[in-house]
Amino acid sequence: MTGPEMDVLLEKLPEPQLPPGARERFVSRYPERRRRGAWKWALAGLALTAAAAGAFTQPEAELSSAVYPLADGRMLVVRMVARPGAPAAWQWAARLKGSSGMKDGVWHHEAADRWTGRTFSLRVAAADLAASGAREVALSEDDGLYVRLSVDGAAPVPPFGPGEFVLQSPHVYLDGEELGPTGVERLSGTSLELARAGVGRFVLAMDAQGDRRFAPTGSAAGRRIEFQAAGHTWRIECRNELPVQGVLYVWHDRSYRTAQALEFGSGGWTPGR
Amino acid sequence: MAAKPTRDEAARLFDEHGAALYRFAARLLGPGAEAEDAVHNVLARFLERNGYDPSRGPLRAYLLGAVRRQARKIRRVETEELADIHAAPGTRLDARLAAQEAVAAALDRLPWTQREVLLLAHYEGLTLQEIAQALDLELAAVKSRLHRARESMRESLAEWKGAMR
């Protein structure tokens, strides 16, 4: 077969067409126009915990929680809760990581699963969640995912599982120099993620669950998590005593790309090869 | 923090690149939600934290490169070693396949590293230089992968054609 003959055959492959509504689904993520003085994306890095398997066997198990300071001094507490019997897709959602924020009294959450590329987008047209004072202000299903957002004036008391990190006011340091604010007041999860432009991403866990991508190159003790990677010393310090102590497993995911000087959150890891 | 992009900006970006990105994603991942999500993800990231450097080639090539990274993550071929593994066993293509099925099957049998280059060169019309920029490869590597991809495709399709007779 000659090259030109093969080229003719290659042209037989039908051209994939955009699914109906793909454009609208993308465009609808964005506001009609930019509004001055609107709430900014004040809250970033809401992270959903990589769900422990047991989490799905308990009634409305909490997957993650995060506390964010609001400009007026109040605290916004966000919990992500899984309901038993929720579709399998939700279990993917448990590994989502993204950003959240309140804008014009509407809660937005947008995230993308880094592994599947599945995009998860949620907009809850509710009243100003922080001002409502309600414990549960939104109940929404989006793309088959069951999500409940809760807002409370006090920090939640989640059912921490073994090996779960809980960090208050975490600060991240590279070779002793602080990398800037993480923007997170409180964070919990069975794994942490730290990413930086030009370096990739580090996934930190106390239990690597046999995942060979991890290496025991760090430690968690007291109020400090520290590890060596990419020729540098990385340190996370928090205000509270860590509920986990001991050897820290680190996976350096060099394929991860970010343009940010610092991305920090919880969750986002599934035991792999 | 930069202001949230507007709907008009999102629509313009999608209209300009959405179809091509989806075409590439669908040929890597198969048509459907995964490919659509990959495209949405790439465009959203571009809109919200644009890391594009024009000196590194055309925007289309940059976005196609981002789609390729998304597709690799979805298929968990995050390293070159894995990407070099054949996606399907090298058995002969069934002579009963129609031409378009045979081409699809032959493409599926290519290692990821070769398939990406062939798709970008043949179906997206990127130059070798643009492919190198999109995939962050040396030009020589692109040439080599494209050559091997075309050779593999030619062998597979020639066998299939021979078996049909």
Side-chain angles (χ1 to χ4, degrees):
Chain A
M1 177 180 288
T2 64
E5 283 173 339
M6 186 184 72
D7 287 338
V8 169
L9 267 179
L10 288 179
E11 290 306 318
K12 303 278 187 190
L13 195 66
E15 185 168 292
Q17 302 296 318
L18 275 167
R23 180 184 188 274
E24 289 66 33
R25 283 190 287 278
F26 177 70
V27 170
S28 66
R29 296 168 167 209
Y30 297 94
E32 289 286 0
R33 62 181 182 279
R34 202 166 281 144
R35 295 178 61 171
R36 289 180 182 278
W39 273 73
K40 295 190 173 178
W41 292 95
L43 314 170
L46 169 67
L48 300 178
T49 306
F56 293 98
T57 64
Q58 299 167 8
E60 298 201 330
E62 178 165 297
L63 299 175
S64 74
S65 66
V67 181
Y68 301 92
L70 297 177
D72 61 4
R74 286 175 301 162
M75 307 295 271
L76 176 63
V77 179
V78 180
R79 299 175 186 176
M80 302 305 266
V81 183
R83 183 176 62 175
W90 166 244
Q91 300 197 21
W92 282 108
R95 293 192 285 272
L96 296 171
K97 182 178 188 313
S99 62
S100 299
M102 193 152 32
K103 188 174 180 182
D104 302 333
V106 177
W107 177 262
H108 296 255
H109 180 81
E110 294 190 2
D113 184 324
R114 289 172 179 165
W115 280 265
T116 67
R118 180 184 176 81
T119 300
F120 170 66
S121 173
L122 173 68
R123 290 172 184 77
V124 182
D128 182 327
L129 303 189
S132 72
R135 293 183 65 85
E136 295 175 8
V137 292
L139 185 66
S140 174
E141 286 189 35
D142 186 18
D143 295 335
L145 306 179
Y146 181 96
V147 177
R148 193 174 72 189
L149 300 175
S150 299
V151 176
D152 199 341
V157 186
F160 299 131
E164 186 163 6
F165 298 97
V166 180
L167 283 73
Q168 293 176 7
S169 296
H171 292 255
V172 178
Y173 300 84
L174 169 59
D175 294 332
E177 287 204 19
E178 186 168 6
L179 286 179
T182 61
V184 179
E185 178 61 23
R186 188 175 183 282
L187 198 66
S188 67
T190 52
S191 62
L192 300 175
E193 285 192 17
L194 192 165
R196 180 170 168 81
V199 175
R201 174 181 60 151
F202 301 106
V203 183
L204 317 177
M206 300 305 290
D207 180 358
Q209 298 184 41
D211 190 325
R212 288 180 293 174
R213 295 173 296 191
F214 283 76
T217 58
S219 63
R223 301 179 179 190
R224 174 184 289 196
I225 293 167
E226 193 167 276
F227 63 95
Q228 308 285 328
H232 298 282
T233 299
W234 305 79
R235 194 172 80 241
I236 301 163
E237 290 189 358
C238 55
R239 205 170 53 210
N240 60 306
E241 284 285 324
L242 293 164
V244 290
Q245 309 275 324
V247 175
L248 178 79
Y249 288 81
V250 180
W251 166 31
H252 186 184
D253 178 7
R254 292 178 177 82
S255 66
Y256 182 75
R257 298 282 186 272
T258 178
Q260 308 295 312
L262 174 65
E263 284 183 10
F264 183 65
S266 69
W269 162 59
T270 310
R273 297 171 294 272
Chain B
M1 192 177 290
K4 176 102 173 160
T6 64
R7 193 164 291 191
D8 284 348
E9 289 166 341
R12 273 199 299 276
L13 184 70
F14 193 91
D15 290 342
E16 195 168 342
H17 301 288
L21 299 189
Y22 179 79
R23 210 162 48 223
F24 181 50
R27 281 178 170 143
L28 281 174
L29 297 168
E34 279 186 336
E36 181 183 330
D37 285 349
V39 172
H40 284 184
N41 227 15
V42 164
L43 293 178
R45 278 189 178 220
F46 175 77
L47 274 175
E48 289 163 21
R49 41 177 169 163
N50 178 357
Y52 168 57
D53 173 4
S55 70
R56 288 185 52 84
L59 177 57
R60 173 67 59 81
Y62 169 81
L63 293 172
L64 286 166
V67 168
R68 171 255 204 172
R69 285 193 293 277
Q70 282 284 319
R72 281 187 171 211
K73 283 184 178 173
I74 290 169
R75 287 289 177 265
R76 296 168 186 259
V77 281
E78 296 182 28
T79 65
E80 288 303 293
E81 291 79 14
L82 282 169
D84 255 337
I85 295 171
H86 282 264
T91 50
R92 288 190 171 192
L93 300 185
D94 192 322
R96 292 168 295 184
L97 292 177
Q100 65 183 58
E101 293 167 333
V103 173
L107 275 171
D108 279 345
R109 289 169 46 170
L110 291 179
W112 270 77
T113 49
Q114 295 178 24
R115 196 186 319 165
E116 292 162 349
V117 171
L118 183 66
L119 292 177
L120 290 175
H122 189 87
Y123 294 107
E124 300 310 322
L126 263 58
T127 65
L128 296 177
Q129 186 63 42
E130 288 168 349
I131 295 171
Q133 288 165 334
L135 304 188
D136 203 16
L137 290 171
E138 297 291 331
L139 187 59
V142 173
K143 287 179 182 172
S144 161
R145 288 181 187 189
L146 183 58
H147 176 72
R148 280 184 282 141
R150 288 184 63 83
E151 279 303 298
S152 298
M153 290 294 288
R154 206 152 61 88
E155 281 173 24
S156 295
L157 293 172
E159 280 178 8
W160 165 75
K161 221 170 175 182
M164 286 177 67
R165 291 184 184 125

